[in-house]
Amino acid sequence: MQSYKIPTEVSAELRINKFIYLTDLLLLFGLFTLRMLTIDYIHSDYHWYFTIFLVIVGIILVIRPFSNPRKRMLEALLYALARNKNTFSAIDYNQEKKE
């Protein structure tokens, strides 16, 4: 009978080096692809401004906020935009202190 090794942690992100994860690299690659596809529609005087803008947007989306270091700014912005603003949920401050 064969024995299989079961990974102990399957939800961990793949880290490429100390600062960048695979998800971050894919997001930056997607922004680079977006730039290459849309650069023909931008006036030639504004190519550098457009590139700098996309670099800044990419850095902002990859940054991890201090309030929730397990999520990226992109995920925090998506949660803020998608949440139902007509509902209310109380925050249990005692639970946060226990963790």
Side-chain angles (χ1 to χ4, degrees):
M1 183 166 199
Q2 294 180 348
S3 63
Y4 297 100
K5 291 183 179 179
I6 298 173
T8 57
E9 189 175 347
V10 294
S11 63
E13 292 184 283
L14 182 62
R15 184 177 279 203
I16 294 183
N17 64 18
K18 187 176 179 180
F19 300 108
I20 193 160
Y21 292 89
L22 181 63
T23 311
D24 301 338
L25 190 66
L26 292 175
L27 178 74
L28 295 175
F29 180 73
L31 283 174
F32 177 74
T33 305
L34 176 73
R35 182 205 179 272
M36 297 308 290
L37 291 173
T38 58
I39 199 71
D40 294 334
Y41 301 108
I42 306 295
H43 192 277
S44 61
D45 291 342
Y46 299 114
H47 282 187
W48 282 106
Y49 296 118
F50 183 63
T51 304
I52 292 170
F53 171 75
L54 284 180
V55 166
I56 291 171
V57 166
I59 290 171
I60 289 173
L61 292 180
V62 168
I63 290 174
R64 294 177 182 261
F66 292 114
S67 60
N68 194 356
R70 292 184 181 163
K71 298 290 182 188
R72 288 176 184 76
M73 190 64 73
L74 172 66
E75 294 169 306
L77 290 172
L78 288 176
Y79 289 150
L81 292 174
R83 73 179 177 95
N84 188 358
K85 294 172 180 60
N86 295 328
T87 60
F88 174 77
S89 60
I91 299 173
D92 187 8
Y93 291 104
N94 295 330
Q95 181 181 5
E96 290 178 6
K97 291 178 183 176
K98 291 178 186 176
E99 296 176 359

